[in-house]
Amino acid sequence: VGKGHGFAGVVSRYGFSRGPMTRGSKHHRAPGSAGAGTFPSRVYPRKKMPGRWKTSRRKYNRVRPLKLDVRHSLLWLQGSVPGKTGNIIQISPV
């Protein structure tokens, strides 16, 4: 499971460009329009909006096993592994 980033806005979560910072603008890091108001009177699914960011499961293919210690049930890996230090990861054949 990847490392979560908590609650994030659209600028950091999706890379939206921010609005003007001067001349009376109040649209600095806001998402902009959420869609039409009268029709369809709802927000479409998969609309990019603020929310919790990156806590999903990830798959990495470029991780190689280096050493296996059966006695202590340890496996040393070479490469980038997602998540925090000490997390449990699932290893499966490709």
Side-chain angles (χ1 to χ4, degrees), residues 7-10 13-14 31 48-52:
F7 194 90
V10 292
R13 191 176 184 199
Y14 299 110
K48 293 181 178 179
M49 297 189 112
R52 292 196 49 89

Side-chain angles (χ1 to χ4, degrees), residues 6 21 29 44 50 66 69:
M21 301 299 283
R29 294 177 69 91
Y44 284 120
L66 284 180
D69 187 358

